[in-house]
Amino acid sequence: MSTPEYERFQAATIRRPDDVPPATPLAWHAERATEHDNRLANRSLREDFPYEIERGDLGDALAALALRESMHRMIEAQRGSRIREAMEMGATWYEMAAALDITPDEARTLLRQWADGQHRLHRGDVERAADSPLGLTSERHAQVLALTELGDNETVQAAVR
């Protein structure tokens, strides 16, 4: 199935991460990066390769880099909300740290930074669009920060009891 947005994304010239339209699905990024990678890999095939192939060029190299940077930014932007979700579903800080390959305190810091950014976003958004605010309210911000106070092996369910 194809959509007009998908068609526009496929046709767009990508040379910078900002050339990727906002909210482009990660799967589309990966699909397109793979196409560029395959053409670039074909450059190493011998000149008399027996099958018809398309060899990559500078545009493929730049697009592959820009798409990877766009994916990186998207993944980083979503990390805090995924930490919050996992903790609220019962993960421990040890499990969180293992999933991120960092220490529990480093994982807590990531959640605090994300929550603070979302709280700042909400405060600014309330002034612009009260009917559809973004980010975390003061109450929700406090609830998320409370997750950082859990012990390394403690879960939300255990803390509620």
Side-chain angles (χ1 to χ4, degrees):
M1 180 175 100
S2 185
T3 63
E5 293 81 12
Y6 178 79
E7 297 298 327
R8 278 193 294 277
F9 173 69
Q10 286 297 328
T13 299
I14 307 290
R15 295 295 180 269
R16 300 167 21 93
D18 293 339
D19 291 339
V20 177
T24 297
L26 197 53
W28 294 6
H29 281 80
E31 176 186 4
R32 182 132 180 222
T34 299
E35 292 168 5
H36 292 291
D37 287 343
N38 289 341
R39 286 192 292 272
L40 290 167
N42 288 344
R43 292 174 50 84
S44 64
L45 297 173
R46 63 181 199 260
E47 287 300 317
D48 63 344
F49 190 73
Y51 303 102
E52 189 174 320
I53 59 167
E54 190 176 351
R55 294 181 193 273
D57 59 15
L58 176 59
D60 287 299
L62 294 172
L65 288 167
L67 285 160
R68 276 181 176 65
E69 180 59 25
S70 179
M71 286 189 291
H72 174 78
R73 290 177 185 181
M74 179 182 281
I75 290 166
E76 287 292 312
Q78 294 174 352
R79 185 165 59 171
S81 62
R82 296 299 172 255
I83 293 170
R84 177 193 50 81
E85 288 169 343
M87 292 302 298
E88 288 176 346
M89 287 189 273
T92 67
W93 283 110
Y94 277 134
E95 290 172 320
M96 193 60 54
L100 295 167
D101 197 26
I102 58 178
T103 69
D105 284 339
E106 290 169 326
R108 285 182 182 92
T109 298
L110 290 174
L111 183 59
R112 272 190 215 95
Q113 290 170 343
W114 175 82
D116 291 346
Q118 291 298 306
H119 189 231
R120 282 190 301 277
L121 176 65
H122 176 76
R123 286 195 314 244
D125 192 66
V126 167
E127 296 168 11
R128 291 188 310 264
D131 14 325
S132 177
L134 301 172
L136 296 175
T137 64
S138 293
E139 178 182 336
R140 188 69 177 116
H141 179 248
Q143 292 169 345
V144 172
L145 289 182
L147 296 170
T148 66
E149 301 302 320
L150 294 172
D152 289 349
N153 248 346
E154 192 175 9
T155 65
V156 170
Q157 288 83 2
V160 171
R161 292 182 201 161

